[in-house]
Amino acid sequence: RSMAAGGSPASVHRTRNARSFWRRRHASYCCTPVCVTDGGTVGRRTLATRHLRAGEIVLTEAPVLRGGCAVDRCPGCGERTGGCSGEPSGCRWPAVPAAAREWHRGASAKAATMRGGERENGVRVCSLFAMVAQAAAAPSLCRWLLSHLEPAASCGGEVQEAGEEEEALSRSTRDFARLFARHVPLAEGVVAELLLRLQTNLFTIDERSVGIYSAACLLEHSCAPNASVCVRRAGGGAALEVVARRPIEAGEAISFSYLDEAWLAAAAVRQRRER
């Protein structure tokens, strides 16, 4: 109501406040660049809520869970040994049983002596064990991982068609689940389910640690992605950033390549030659 229509000064003041409030709310909605939706048969998807410019940061988040392979740093947060403060900092590693922490320390020391591919495998095993041990020490986290993360078998047609690779993953998962279950208070079947989800949703933080990111793990794969992903390790943190590679329209699914950028570049060169 306006003064010309006979509205009182108080009603005009309330109307202006209401309009200002909704303008701010609308601006906050428009500034949220992505949202998660249920894609039906294709599962949950992360969609752009507005037009995104090339180079714009689409998403920034800290890891929900982190696992590392090092004897001089905390596997759960990356702090130097003795500097981890546990729960106040959100790190769950201090809650892991002492026997499991000792096994991880020994395996990390052994991995440090390896070279080449053996070292990479050793680091991966230690990092996965660190995440499983933390999940075992935090039941709510374990339930979230099992319900939120998709295992390899339901991550898309390409994975399902790759029978030999899937079978190899299942065999290695069973072997590691049997090994890990000896050192954590979880049943072997639960450990196997965790490993199937962790292995297909983790992001590399650095050469000695990996992490699980709640929103980024819902991003789609594309060989012609509209976004790229990188982990910023400034100040000891491990914030993951998703950056638009090109303009992205509202409603478009955010995607990045699960494959290495160098591999994609080589594949593009091969395609141009074949044409």
Side-chain angles (χ1 to χ4, degrees), residues 143-218:
R143 289 192 296 270
W144 182 88
L145 292 170
L146 291 172
S147 63
H148 189 77
L149 303 183
E150 294 290 341
S154 59
C155 284
E158 293 182 0
V159 177
Q160 291 176 336
E161 293 172 4
E164 294 182 1
E165 294 182 6
E166 186 179 336
E167 179 59 27
L169 177 63
S170 297
R171 285 198 302 271
S172 65
T173 297
R174 288 195 296 269
D175 292 341
F176 286 127
R178 192 175 302 111
L179 172 63
F180 291 177
R182 299 173 188 168
H183 305 283
V184 297
L186 286 176
E188 184 178 322
V190 176
V191 175
E193 289 294 329
L194 280 172
L195 287 174
L196 280 174
R197 287 159 171 78
L198 293 173
Q199 291 180 95
T200 52
N201 289 279
L202 58 80
F203 289 83
T204 299
I205 294 175
D206 54 37
E207 67 277 2
R208 297 192 298 177
S209 61
V210 296
I212 294 293
Y213 296 82
S214 61
C217 69
L218 300 177

